[in-house]
Every structure is written in structure tokens, then in C-alpha cells.
Amino acid sequence: MSEKLIESQFQITGMTCAACATRIEKGLKKMNGVEDANVNLALEKAMVKFDSTVMTPSDIQKKVRDLGYDIVTEKKELVITGMTCAACATRIEKGINKMDGVLEANVNLALEKASVVFNPSIIATNDLIQKVEALGYGAIIKSDDNENDATDHRQKEIEKQQGKFIFSAILSLPLLWAMVGHFSFTSFIYVPDAFMNPWVQMALATPVQFFIGKQFYVGAYKALKNKSANMDVLVALGTSAAYFYSVYLAIQTLGSNAHSVGLYFETSAVLITLIILGKLFEAKAKGRSSEAIKKLMGLQAKNATVLRNGEELIIPLEEVTSGDILLVKPGEKIPVDGEIIEGSSALDESMITGESVPIDKTVGDTVIGATINKNGFLKIKATKVGKETALSQIIKIVEEAQGSKAPIQRLADSISGIFVPIVVGIAVITFLVWYFWVDPGNFAEALENLIAVLVIACPCALGLATPTSIMAGSGRSAEYGILFKGGEHLEMTHQINTVVLDKTGTITNGTPVLTDVITDRNEEEFLSLVGSAEKQSEHPLAQAIVEGIKERSIHLKDVMDFEAIPGYGIKANVNGKEVLVGTRRLMKKYNIAIDHVIEKMESLEKQGKTAMLAAVDGTYAGLVAVADTIKETSTSAIKRMKDMGLEVIMITGDNKQTASAIAKQAGVDHVIAEVLPEGKVEEVKKLQQQGKKVAMVGDGINDAPALATADIGMAIGTGTDVAMEAADITLIRGDLNSIPDSILMSHKTMKNIKQNLFWALAYNTIGIPIAAVGFLAPWLAGAAMAFSSVSVVLNALRLQKVKL
């Protein structure tokens, strides 16, 4: 079988008859890239032969799901040790992806992690670990228990490289000093005679070459053993050539004036020292790139005060269970997600939502773990603990986004996979050209240029260009309450040119409020009668009226003989008075004269308000109006989107008159009204068929299908879990300004990635010819290579300073 053709087995669920198997088989065979497919109903398995250059196992999984069935999968994260460059990550990724049962594997060099989706009925997690180890690296399954171990490992690695660098620098300094003595323009610098002795130089260089440089030999051996090449191969080849040629020259000088011979011990030693220094800087910089996760984890409270058996106990956060009653004093952090059952306070939720103004909370309101209780004593019932809390979910999403791979990274992966062999070829050609044509017979000059080409071409920066930017960009976004679920969504968002906004709960607050009261009677008495009657109703509009009246501190009276009249309104006896509240039809039914208020009522309706008429003892008494008010920030956010050149469309199930009124207030020019939930999907598809890149923004269960259909689905974080699950981006704040902010963050991240890729590729493209023509000393090539990776990581870290 050709290497590009892969035969993989998939466990399928949901098949009930032969027709199901036939349908799946036909569907798979129609896919571009599938050579053959056989579905076995009895075994509930599909054997698919496909072209790996055209498609991935994930494409097959998506097709099966589109047909109404599912593929059994499990997702694991591995902590990988021993990777040194992009070629290492590419090799591990390719190796795991070729395993039968693996649907998708992504290896992140910057995070030193691998995310693997696989079929657990075909392959076990231990098989994944064994595969990584067979490729010459280390791996453990990531879990909460070993997360700290992984952090400790990274810290130990930094300390280890630090020690190696100091030892290597001490031994290399005399060699560097001796090198200075070889130049005529530096002849005034004193060089101790011992430093010029080839045997002293060998004694200094040997520990650097084989003790400090052991990691490069080990890495090169493992790479070559697996029929591939990486940065270690280049470093081992370059430094070994310089070292062993110098040993040869030293032996040749026995019995002659050894001090006059030009040796290259300093070339190999200084190269290794500079590369170790670069690795040290890179490790420290990579540690900074995951600061967002550390900050989020640091927000959690360490302990909680619980009320058990009448006693107050302070226990570790991990021991809090759902249903526990928690006591939170002013200034303390809310330990877990819950509901206030006693007390009221202002809560600082900025660490979760990005909203700087404290939010007033009272009995019945929900609270989020890690937010800060500002001024009141609260008694809270825990509703979500451990991994179920909002903060834990945020951390999970950010981790997955940082570990995912953006499509643009495929370019870097493709290049790094063939880069090292090409560079070795160029280096050999450089040596031959110099030795036979440019400077015939000058082995030393040809060797120097070969070493310079090998060293300048190390592809470290290329492998770090994309993942470090994704980590920094998604982490910074999370601090502003914008959660990208993956690198592909972070990349796609900046291409959006059309934003479709759901009305209720997205543009508006989602809860109606009392806005207008018009009466010729005493307003307080009028509202007391209306509120008392409506108090018995469960209708959302009735509840809005009652809440509005209560806020005005108006006393409500006792009610007798309450009757709800569907489609009309209500009828009630309040303190011996008959009160009617409802529609025109209700008034007409009871022969109440309302002609004189119809014009005013229609005027309110044109403003997007719902007006209700009230009568007392058979006579018109006044009207009240409620409306789902626009969020304070919606108008300014929509203006920002339009200023960015985005087409903004409002979609709603409301009637055209109400929808148009809300749209006008919000500044939306295009309205799609009277749309059923399933119709939202069709409207999104129509826009996509016009060639538009569509972002759908919603908060309800009925928005979930449209969110999944759009190029980018954005869920308002204050909405339902279903909507957030279907979306690609969660906007925790519920503020529409998060939409232009997310597009801006995507744009800045993509710009940063392109800068990194450009400089990583330009560095090698320019550096290799300069080294080949002899204008770059090997030690300068080593210094440039070492700092190229650091510059890429530092450029990516600029995203952590972005202001939105």
C-alpha cells in the first residue's frame, strides 16, 4: 500500500439494520480521498482506505455524524518530553496518526503536549505511550494529579539547562580567548600561552562536546533510528565535524610547532554553549506563554467555610460537595458556583467576565466561583463544584485552545518535515564546491562553511511560530472573557464579514421590564390595583409588571376570584373592585370604551413595547407597557462592528413592527423577523451561499443549530449551556463589544503568526546562502540560530499585552 494510503478501522454506533450500514458505506465511498469502505453491521465497524494527503480520520468521523450515526472516540492528552524542534513534534504527530484506531493527533511543541482522539475499542492509552517511547521520546497521560509534575519537570529542565550553560561557558571561554589570538587585528590582546596548546584546547572542548553535547547525540541517534532528522542531527553533525577535524590536526602536530596550527575546538564548544543558552532562554519564554492558565488557576479559592451539623468548618476546596451550605464573609472569594440563600452584597466578577463594575446580588441570584464578595455576608448553597464550576470549564476551554492546531500551522509542519534532509544536502554541496572549486584543497575553509550552513538552518523557530502565538492569543482573550474553543476558530474569526445577532438575550437583556404607565387616576392607587391582579399570573409580562411596581415600593393588596383568560388577559377582584388587565379584545369583550387611547397604544407598539389596557369596575383606567430593553452597550458595540466594515443583521421570531423598532434603537440596518427556530439555520445558509463569512451570535437553545451552522458560532456566556456547547466562541460577559474584540484578537493573533513564520523562514532563507558563500563564521551562525527561537517566542508574548 502506498504510504499516503491509510487503512483504518472505526467503531460505529447507532446502526439498526442493513440499510444503515449500506447508507454509511455509500456515503463514505462518495468522499473525495476515500479509496474503499466496508461497513460490517454485525461487528458495528467500518474499514476505510483513504488518501492521507487529501483527508484525515476526523473528516470520516464528521461524515458519519452527518449521516446520523457516531464513531466511538476518546480523547487523551499526553505530556511529551524530549522534543527539541518542530521536526520532533512533526515526527511524533505523524507516528501517532498512522496508528490504527487514531482519528486525530496534534502535538504542540510549545506546550510539550499531544492531544489524541482515538477509538478505545481498537487502541489503548498505553499503546499511545509506547508509540511515543518507540519514537525516542517520553510520554505520560496528562491528569490533574500529574499536572504539577509536568510543571516541576519544566522547572527542573530550566535548572538543568542553566547548570549546563554555566559549566559549558566556563570551559568555552578560554577557547574563545584563544580564537581571538588568531586574528591580526586583535593581536594586541594578551592570550596565555597554555590556551594556544592543542592538548589544553582538546581537554577543555571534550567535556563540552560529549558531556554537555550528549543530548544532541542522543536526539540525533533516536531521529536517525526512526528514519527522520531533526535539529539534533544538524548540531551533532556540525560540532562533530569541527571537533574531530581538530583532533586530527592536533595529532598531526605531534613533534612540531603546534601553537601555529588553526584548530576548531572553539567552534564546536562555543556552538554548543550558545545553543544551550538559546534553549535556556526558550524554555523560560515558553513558561511565560502559559501564564494565562496559571493566572486562571490562581483565581480559585484554596479553602471554604461550610456549615455542617450546625458547625462552621474550614475545609479544602476539593472537599466541598454539591448541596453544601457555604458562608462567605466580606472580602473573601466565592469558593464554588452556587445560589444565594441568605444575604446580599456587591460581587466583583471582573476576573471571570472582564466587567469592572461590581454586580449587586441578593437571595435567589447565582454566584460564580472565584469572584470576590465585596461588602456583605452571604450564605450560599453550592450547585456546581470541582470540574463543573464556570472557572474550571473556562480553564478547560483555554487549555484545549492552546493545545489545538491552527490550519496555518500545516505550512510550518510541511516545511519542517523535509527541511533537515534538504539542509544536510545543501551543506554537503557547500563543502564540495568550496573544496574542489572555490578554494581547492582548503579542507578547513570548506569545513567551516559546511558547519555554518548546518547550524544556521536549525528549524527551531519554525516549530514555535504558530503554537506560541495561539497560546498567548487565546490566553489573553480569556482574560477579557472571550473563550476560543480551538486554534482553528481563532484563525477563522478574523475572516468574518457578516454578523447575525439574535434579538432576545443578545441585543436585549432578555427579560421584559415595566417602561410606561399612563393613567388619569392616582398613579399609585392604579398600579396597586394592576399589580395586585397581575401578581396571581405566571405570564412573563405579568411578572415584569409586578417587579416594576414592587421597585416603586407600592403596596399590593389581597386578591379574590382571579381568572386568567388565555389570549385576552386577566380578571380579578381586588379589595371588592373588578380589575381587568389585557388586550384590546379583552376590553371589547367587556364593552370597555378605549377608542381614545388606541393611538397612544399603537405609538408604544411602534417603539417595540407591549402595551396592556386596564379597566376598573367596567371603566377604562389606564395602560401599562413593558419591553425587553436593549443592553446598555449594544448600540455602541453595533456601531463598532459597522465601523469595522461588518454587515450586521438582526434575526428574531418577533413580529416585524416590534423587530424593526428594536433594530432602529440598536442601530441595526438589516432585520430578518418572524423566523422560527429552525428557520435561523436556513437564513445563515442563505448568507453563506452569497459568499459571506458568517458569525452567528445567540444565547438560547433555539440558537444552537444556527450557531453550529455558521462559519463561527458565538454564544453569549449568560445564556444556555446548549448554546455554549454548539458555539466556537463563548462570550462570557454577555456584552456585544466582545464580538469586535474577538475579531480584533483573531486579527492580531494571525498577524503575529504570519510575522513569526515570515521571520523564521526568512532567517533560514537568507542565512543559508550567506553561510554557504563563507560570510558567516560558525560561532556567529550558532548565536543567530540560538536567538532566533527566543525572538519568535518573545514576539508571540506581545499578544499578552494587547488592550481590548
Side-chain angles (χ1 to χ4, degrees):
M1 192 188 298
S2 168
E3 188 175 335
K4 70 177 183 177
L5 282 179
I6 294 177
E7 193 168 38
S8 194
Q9 184 174 284
F10 301 89
Q11 187 81 38
I12 297 179
T13 60
M15 293 190 294
T16 56
C17 62
C20 298
T22 304
R23 183 168 177 237
I24 296 170
E25 195 170 287
K26 284 182 177 179
L28 292 174
K29 285 180 177 178
K30 287 179 181 178
M31 294 181 73
N32 181 30
V34 171
E35 294 287 319
D36 193 21
N38 291 300
V39 179
N40 188 309
L41 175 63
L43 294 175
E44 295 185 318
K45 289 180 181 178
M47 186 64 75
V48 187
K49 187 187 292 183
F50 61 94
D51 187 337
S52 59
T53 63
V54 176
M55 64 192 307
T56 67
S58 291
D59 297 323
I60 294 170
Q61 182 184 29
K62 185 177 186 301
K63 181 64 177 179
V64 171
R65 285 179 172 173
D66 288 344
L67 291 170
Y69 307 92
D70 204 357
I71 287 178
V72 178
T73 61
E74 191 173 322
K75 186 174 182 179
K76 290 287 185 183
E77 277 200 349
L78 308 179
V79 179
I80 308 289
T81 56
M83 292 191 293
T84 57
C85 68
C88 298
T90 302
R91 183 163 68 258
I92 296 170
E93 191 171 288
K94 283 183 177 178
I96 297 176
N97 273 318
K98 285 180 180 177
M99 296 177 74
D100 192 26
V102 171
L103 274 73
E104 185 177 20
N106 288 316
V107 178
N108 188 309
L109 173 64
L111 279 177
E112 297 179 325
K113 289 178 183 175
S115 176
V116 188
V117 179
F118 61 96
N119 184 337
S121 64
I122 299 173
I123 190 171
T125 51
N126 281 340
D127 297 328
L128 300 174
I129 293 173
Q130 288 171 11
K131 181 64 176 177
V132 174
E133 289 174 346
L135 291 169
Y137 305 90
I140 55 172
I141 299 294
K142 178 183 174 291
S143 67
D144 293 340
D145 295 332
N146 62 33
E147 182 64 30
N148 290 332
D149 293 342
T151 305
D152 291 342
H153 164 76
R154 282 192 285 270
Q155 186 57 40
K156 286 177 182 176
E157 185 62 26
I158 290 173
E159 292 171 1
K160 181 180 175 183
Q161 296 291 3
Q162 217 162 19
K164 281 186 175 183
F165 168 70
I166 293 170
F167 181 61
S168 185
I170 290 170
L171 294 177
S172 300
L173 189 59
L175 295 172
L176 193 61
W177 194 347
M179 183 184 72
V180 172
H182 287 289
F183 303 119
S184 56
F185 60 87
T186 56
S187 57
F188 62 91
I189 298 175
Y190 168 72
V191 179
D193 192 55
F195 289 176
M196 302 298 287
N197 187 300
W199 304 105
V200 172
Q201 290 190 16
M202 189 188 298
L204 292 168
T206 300
V208 176
Q209 185 69 36
F210 298 108
F211 176 67
I212 304 299
K214 179 184 175 183
Q215 66 189 68
F216 302 116
Y217 283 110
V218 172
Y221 168 74
K222 289 178 178 177
L224 295 172
K225 181 184 174 185
N226 287 286
K227 299 176 183 178
S228 63
N230 62 0
M231 184 201 83
D232 293 330
V233 173
L234 297 180
V235 175
L237 279 174
T239 59
S240 295
Y243 176 83
F244 286 112
Y245 180 58
S246 298
V247 170
Y248 167 76
L249 290 176
I251 294 171
Q252 290 288 94
T253 61
L254 284 170
S256 62
N257 183 11
H259 289 53
S260 63
V261 177
L263 303 175
Y264 297 92
F265 286 120
E266 80 284 342
T267 298
S268 63
V270 171
L271 274 177
I272 289 172
T273 303
L274 288 172
I275 293 167
I276 293 291
L277 178 62
K279 287 285 177 191
L280 175 60
F281 284 160
E282 184 185 306
K284 287 185 175 181
K286 283 198 295 188
R288 284 177 55 199
S289 62
S290 57
E291 282 296 313
I293 294 290
K294 293 175 187 173
K295 282 183 184 176
L296 288 170
M297 289 180 168
L299 293 175
Q300 293 174 319
K302 301 295 183 290
N303 300 303
T305 304
V306 298
L307 199 61
R308 289 180 179 172
N309 299 322
E311 290 185 40
E312 290 184 22
L313 302 173
I314 298 177
I315 62 173
L317 184 66
E318 299 77 29
E319 294 181 14
V320 176
T321 59
S322 183
D324 272 342
I325 304 302
L326 310 177
L327 306 178
V328 186
K329 299 173 185 176
E332 290 184 342
K333 287 182 179 180
I334 305 293
V336 295
D337 295 3
E339 180 183 330
I340 299 175
I341 58 174
E342 187 179 309
S344 61
S345 179
L347 267 64
D348 179 0
E349 298 184 341
S350 60
M351 63 290 299
I352 301 294
T353 66
E355 182 60 58
S356 58
V357 179
I359 309 296
D360 290 328
K361 302 268 185 173
T362 188
V363 175
D365 289 335
T366 57
V367 293
I368 305 171
T371 56
I372 299 172
N373 179 21
K374 299 292 284 186
N375 50 28
F377 179 82
L378 297 175
K379 187 179 284 188
I380 296 166
K381 181 180 180 181
T383 55
K384 291 182 180 179
V385 299
K387 292 182 179 180
E388 295 179 350
T389 64
L391 182 61
S392 293
Q393 291 300 310
I394 291 169
I395 291 171
K396 180 186 174 186
I397 290 172
V398 175
E399 280 184 327
E400 288 181 353
Q402 291 190 339
S404 65
K405 182 173 290 188
I408 196 172
Q409 192 173 335
R410 292 173 190 156
L411 170 65
D413 290 346
S414 300
I415 294 170
S416 63
I418 59 172
F419 196 74
V420 174
I422 290 173
V423 168
V424 172
I426 293 172
V428 171
I429 292 169
T430 299
F431 176 83
L432 295 173
V433 169
W434 274 88
Y435 187 73
F436 290 106
W437 283 284
V438 179
D439 194 355
N442 191 339
F443 185 86
E445 186 73 15
L447 181 66
E448 275 206 13
N449 294 329
L450 174 142
I451 294 168
V453 170
L454 288 174
V455 174
I456 194 70
C458 288
C460 307
L462 196 60
L464 294 168
T466 302
T468 46
S469 295
I470 293 291
M471 288 166 65
S474 57
R476 184 59 170 167
S477 299
E479 291 176 28
Y480 281 96
I482 302 166
L483 302 182
F484 289 93
K485 288 192 177 177
E488 66 273 24
H489 309 311
L490 186 54
E491 177 176 336
M492 169 65 78
T493 302
H494 83 288
Q495 299 175 16
I496 294 299
N497 53 34
T498 304
V499 178
V500 179
L501 302 171
D502 175 52
K503 179 182 80 71
T504 307
T506 302
I507 294 177
T508 66
N509 286 299
T511 51
V513 295
L514 180 63
T515 57
D516 296 86
V517 178
I518 300 173
T519 181
D520 293 332
R521 301 187 175 203
N522 177 281
E523 185 174 298
E524 186 173 333
E525 176 64 20
F526 169 70
L527 287 176
S528 178
L529 292 170
V530 170
S532 300
E534 290 283 22
K535 186 174 67 171
Q536 310 304 314
S537 174
E538 294 181 355
H539 195 282
L541 296 182
Q543 292 173 2
I545 292 170
V546 173
E547 286 300 317
I549 292 171
K550 283 182 177 178
E551 286 174 5
R552 302 181 191 207
S553 301
I554 294 174
H555 177 67
L556 300 183
K557 302 172 182 178
D558 294 331
V559 177
M560 297 182 67
D561 301 327
F562 172 83
E563 181 186 358
I565 309 171
Y568 289 82
I570 61 162
K571 176 184 176 184
N573 187 315
V574 182
N575 268 14
K577 295 181 179 181
E578 183 186 75
V579 179
L580 299 170
V581 184
T583 63
R584 299 175 178 84
R585 288 189 297 171
L586 180 67
M587 298 297 120
K588 186 176 182 181
K589 181 178 180 179
Y590 286 90
N591 298 316
I592 309 295
I594 56 169
D595 291 345
H596 62 292
V597 295
I598 293 298
E599 187 177 339
K600 182 61 181 175
M601 191 176 184
E602 289 176 346
S603 173
L604 291 169
E605 288 173 342
K606 286 178 182 177
Q607 296 173 38
K609 299 174 181 178
T610 301
M612 284 167 283
L613 302 160
V616 178
D617 288 337
T619 305
Y620 168 78
L623 66 79
V624 291
V626 297
D628 183 3
T629 55
I630 292 175
K631 293 176 182 176
E632 291 181 9
T633 55
S634 290
T635 304
S636 61
I638 289 168
K639 184 179 184 302
R640 273 185 70 195
M641 286 184 257
K642 290 164 74 174
D643 289 344
M644 290 170 67
L646 300 170
E647 181 183 359
V648 183
I649 299 170
M650 187 180 85
I651 191 166
T652 179
D654 281 354
N655 63 68
K656 290 181 180 179
Q657 191 174 29
T658 302
S660 297
I662 293 292
K664 186 176 180 181
Q665 291 175 47
V668 178
D669 299 324
H670 305 287
V671 180
I672 303 173
E674 299 177 7
V675 180
L676 295 173
E678 56 271 23
K680 292 182 179 180
V681 173
E682 295 306 316
E683 294 298 336
V684 169
K685 286 181 178 177
K686 284 179 187 176
L687 293 169
Q688 290 173 324
Q689 287 164 5
Q690 296 170 27
K692 296 176 179 178
K693 293 289 184 183
V694 181
M696 172 70 197
V697 188
D699 75 320
I701 292 174
N702 62 346
D703 297 322
L707 291 171
T709 303
D711 295 286
I712 290 291
M714 298 186 183
I716 298 295
T718 51
T720 65
D721 291 341
V722 175
M724 287 187 275
E725 186 64 32
D728 306 311
I729 303 172
T730 299
L731 311 176
I732 298 176
R733 287 185 293 174
D735 179 349
L736 295 193
N737 275 300
S738 293
I739 300 169
D741 283 348
S742 63
I743 294 172
L744 180 66
M745 200 68 219
S746 170
H747 174 75
K748 286 184 177 293
T749 303
M750 286 309 301
K751 183 179 177 182
N752 192 275
I753 289 172
K754 288 173 182 176
Q755 287 171 350
N756 284 347
L757 287 174
F758 171 79
W759 287 114
L761 291 169
Y763 160 81
N764 287 310
T765 305
I766 296 168
I768 291 172
I770 292 174
V773 297
F775 291 155
L776 197 64
W779 70 273
L780 281 175
M785 187 278 289
F787 287 102
S788 65
S789 300
V790 179
S791 64
V792 162
V793 177
L794 291 178
N795 183 52
L797 291 178
R798 292 191 304 116
L799 289 169
Q800 292 185 339
K801 306 296 181 184
V802 170
K803 301 289 184 185
L804 296 178

